[in-house]
Amino acid sequence: MKKKSIALFALSLALFSVPVVSVANAEVTNSNVAISESATSQPEVVKAYITTESGLEEISLNEYQKLLSQEQLQTVTAQVYDSGNRISPMADTGLDFVFKRKLIQSAYYPQQLQVDQKTDITDYIKNSSKTTTLTQMVGWSKSFSWSANMTISAKWNDAVTQVLGGGWSTTETHLYNSSLTVQPGYQAKLQFTPIYKVVRGDLVGYNYVGTVLERIKNVTIKSPVKLAGGKVQGVVTVVERRL
């Protein structure tokens, strides 16, 4: 992916938050307040950036659309078969003991944009000037956690780790700071969409001769993709609309 100049929008990933800096002609509006469409333009994504090891890299809007259009796993209810009632601690042969557990994959996506977790980094910031561009610094934080379509008990942790890697079950909060440039006569905001690893399959428990004693079907597990520094990878978008 070619790294492009981001002269109008600079983002540095940091381990601390930067307080908001007031700029002349800047006005922050709550994104939850409805704005009359008859008096304003429709919101539009005008720039997109992906987080990398070395910072932020701009991607084309076509590349962003491709990420959005990636096949999304449909929600399926997990189903339990042959649950633990067959396991007897008094068995002499050992055939009724679960000897190993595996996550048998039916689908795996190493990097999938989680559009249902898109969040606003900022409210809309207005620039009511007709001639002057404004830039405002913002600090923001975001918590990330794994998710599944069922409760995953600790006995399955090692099986899931073999597929998703260590740290898949942690919940973390990361702090960032960024700057947003707003053109004259426009309002703009930043949004962040995380990228997750996603796996679907069956959790299966076997005895020592390979007989299935437990099976939970159609389990979907999602875990954040992390950069080397520990932060979660994702896409930052600039959403703009005319005043």
Side-chain angles (χ1 to χ4, degrees), residues 27-65:
E27 180 182 352
V28 178
T29 61
N30 193 316
S31 60
N32 294 322
V33 177
I35 300 175
S36 173
E37 295 298 340
S38 62
T40 61
S41 63
Q42 292 286 342
E44 180 182 4
V45 174
V46 295
K47 287 184 180 293
Y49 304 84
I50 191 167
T51 55
T52 69
E53 304 290 359
S54 57
L56 201 72
E57 291 185 3
E58 185 176 0
I59 60 176
S60 70
L61 295 183
N62 284 338
E63 290 173 305
Y64 174 60
Q65 288 299 326

Side-chain angles (χ1 to χ4, degrees), residues 1-228:
M1 185 181 300
K2 186 177 180 181
K3 189 169 184 178
K4 304 179 181 177
S5 172
I6 53 173
L8 294 180
F9 173 76
L11 175 69
S12 59
L13 296 178
L15 293 176
F16 55 89
S17 175
V18 175
V20 174
V21 178
S22 298
V23 182
N25 298 318
E27 180 182 352
V28 178
T29 61
N30 193 316
S31 60
N32 294 322
V33 177
I35 300 175
S36 173
E37 295 298 340
S38 62
T40 61
S41 63
Q42 292 286 342
E44 180 182 4
V45 174
V46 295
K47 287 184 180 293
Y49 304 84
I50 191 167
T51 55
T52 69
E53 304 290 359
S54 57
L56 201 72
E57 291 185 3
E58 185 176 0
I59 60 176
S60 70
L61 295 183
N62 284 338
E63 290 173 305
Y64 174 60
Q65 288 299 326
K66 287 180 181 178
L67 287 172
L68 288 175
S69 63
Q70 287 179 345
E71 182 181 357
Q72 299 290 318
L73 286 172
Q74 299 298 311
T75 301
V76 177
T77 302
Q79 299 175 337
V80 179
Y81 293 89
D82 299 324
S83 59
N85 58 4
R86 290 186 55 187
I87 304 173
S88 170
M90 301 301 293
D92 295 330
T93 63
L95 294 177
D96 288 335
F97 285 99
V98 173
F99 179 72
K100 61 181 178 180
R101 292 182 169 88
K102 290 185 177 181
L103 171 53
I104 308 299
Q105 304 173 48
S106 59
Y108 179 68
Y109 299 90
Q111 291 184 310
Q112 189 180 71
L113 203 62
Q114 299 301 296
V115 293
D116 59 333
Q117 295 192 42
K118 179 188 295 183
T119 55
D120 289 350
I121 300 173
T122 68
D123 292 330
Y124 274 112
I125 299 174
K126 283 186 177 181
N127 183 3
S128 56
S129 171
K130 297 184 182 302
T131 58
T132 305
T133 298
L134 72 84
T135 299
Q136 183 161 345
M137 296 298 297
V138 294
W140 55 284
S141 65
K142 176 68 177 175
S143 294
F144 303 93
S145 181
W146 69 284
S147 64
N149 62 343
M150 64 163 294
T151 300
I152 306 295
S153 63
K155 67 182 180 182
W156 298 104
N157 282 1
D158 289 344
V160 178
T161 298
Q162 291 175 11
V163 177
L164 293 181
W168 65 270
S169 61
T170 59
T171 298
E172 301 174 3
T173 299
H174 297 293
L175 304 177
Y176 305 81
N177 69 83
S178 62
S179 63
L180 172 64
T181 297
V182 186
Q183 301 303 314
Y186 281 84
Q187 58 183 338
K189 66 179 178 180
L190 300 178
Q191 293 183 321
F192 182 81
T193 307
I195 295 175
Y196 274 45
K197 296 175 286 187
V198 182
V199 63
R200 174 183 287 167
D202 294 355
L203 293 171
V204 184
Y206 305 86
N207 65 12
Y208 72 93
V209 296
T211 302
V212 175
L213 299 182
E214 294 181 88
R215 181 183 291 271
I216 307 174
K217 288 189 172 183
N218 300 325
V219 176
T220 300
I221 305 172
K222 303 180 179 183
S223 181
V225 174
K226 297 180 182 179
L227 301 171

